[in-house]
Amino acid sequence: QVRLVESGGGLVQPGETLSVSCAASGGTFSSYAAGWFRQPPGKERVFVAAITRNGTSTYYADSVKGRFTISRDNAKNTVNLQMNSLKPEDTGVYYCAADPHLPAGKSWSVLISYLEVWGQGILVNVSI
């Protein structure tokens, strides 16, 4: 089973761009669909984006569609989330997730408890 480690979070101002990355190790990452979730302060963890095993299809929450881009590099065992035009409501702990069985899709918004592998999370703070 793979292990996931996020990196790249931090403090940015509204309207700015930030990328977070997730590095996988210990398994065949290309066999896992992958995605990103976030947990705003005091709220539940929610779906942000997902990508299929081969990277050909992507899925986004309505709140980030058109601003965020998920991508993966299976040769480097990484999945990335580029976040443009950041808003204060994008603030939260961002978690990388992966699963060897569930196909990537917006259904991950309700399948969160079934996803097998999670990173430890990284803080993104969008504030003036």
Side-chain angles (χ1 to χ4, degrees):
Q1 180 165 309
V2 301
R3 295 178 296 277
L4 304 174
V5 178
E6 300 94 337
S7 62
L11 173 64
V12 294
Q13 295 189 352
E16 292 187 339
T17 293
L18 184 69
S19 290
V20 288
S21 184
C22 175
S25 62
T28 306
F29 186 56
S30 58
S31 299
Y32 289 71
W36 289 91
F37 290 74
R38 68 186 180 193
Q39 188 164 10
K43 298 184 179 180
E44 293 184 348
R45 196 174 303 186
V46 296
F47 171 74
V48 173
I51 189 166
T52 52
R53 292 170 179 81
N54 60 8
T56 56
S57 295
T58 57
Y59 306 87
Y60 297 94
D62 290 342
S63 59
V64 306
K65 197 169 185 178
R67 298 188 298 123
F68 289 14
T69 301
I70 187 172
S71 62
R72 68 188 296 165
D73 185 336
N74 285 338
K76 297 181 178 179
N77 292 336
T78 58
V79 58
N80 303 299
L81 185 69
Q82 179 167 327
M83 303 177 286
N84 297 332
S85 303
L86 281 161
K87 304 175 181 180
E89 51 264 42
D90 294 317
T91 293
V93 178
Y94 280 69
Y95 295 90
C96 180
D99 195 277
H101 307 296
L102 294 174
K106 293 187 74 173
S107 60
W108 279 29
S109 61
V110 297
L111 296 174
I112 183 172
S113 60
Y114 296 95
L115 297 173
E116 283 196 10
V117 187
W118 290 89
Q120 83 287 353
I122 193 162
L123 179 63
V124 172
N125 189 353
V126 185
S127 179
I128 296 175

